Amino acid sequence: MVHLSIEYKFSNQPTRNRLEHPLLEILESVHATGSIGKAAKDLGRSYHYVWGELKHWESELNTHLIVWGRTSKGAELTPQALAFLSEISKTQIDLERQVALIKARVEQCMAVLKGDLPMAPSPDEMNAMPTF
């Protein structure tokens, strides 16, 4: 089972609206560069680290992520890894939409806190209001 944690940080700096995970970054980089060595350089890691992470996740997930043994052709993702990246890409789009809605709602909350907007009535207050 994979557990997901979502955190929201208040910041004056722009934040990234994406899922972040070492495996995802490694697969994206290997796919983009076609090489474990180039991916390692791109990520600021050693070849040994990237290779080890790929092997770790293959074992953890009980699947192959890289087509191993084609040293002259560089590194190639398996069809499963490519399908994973495709599905993650769709998930990223959904996440970006949801985070944008959450950010807008938090901005409204902050405006209420600062007194720039009136507070919305609570559900109990809404139920107590007369209807016409």
Side-chain angles (χ1 to χ4, degrees), residues 3 7-8 34 57-58 60 64 74 87 90 119 125-126:
H3 297 278
E7 298 176 3
Y8 188 87
W57 285 106
E58 283 187 333
E60 184 78 20
H64 294 287
E87 291 301 313
K90 294 173 192 172
M119 290 179 47
E125 292 170 325
M126 291 292 289

Side-chain angles (χ1 to χ4, degrees), residues 48-72:
H48 180 74
Y49 173 84
V50 172
W51 182 88
E53 283 294 294
L54 288 166
K55 287 297 190 180
H56 164 77
W57 285 106
E58 283 187 333
S59 175
E60 184 78 20
L61 300 170
N62 195 30
T63 191
H64 294 287
L65 300 170
I66 301 289
V67 178
W68 298 101
R70 296 186 182 179
T71 55
S72 65

Side-chain angles (χ1 to χ4, degrees), residues 62-102:
N62 195 30
T63 191
H64 294 287
L65 300 170
I66 301 289
V67 178
W68 298 101
R70 296 186 182 179
T71 55
S72 65
K73 291 195 172 208
E76 183 179 327
L77 298 184
T78 62
Q80 295 88 345
L82 289 169
F84 171 76
L85 287 181
S86 175
E87 291 301 313
I88 285 292
S89 179
K90 294 173 192 172
T91 303
Q92 296 285 25
I93 292 168
D94 292 341
L95 179 65
E96 287 172 11
R97 290 181 191 135
Q98 293 301 313
V99 169
L101 290 172
I102 292 168

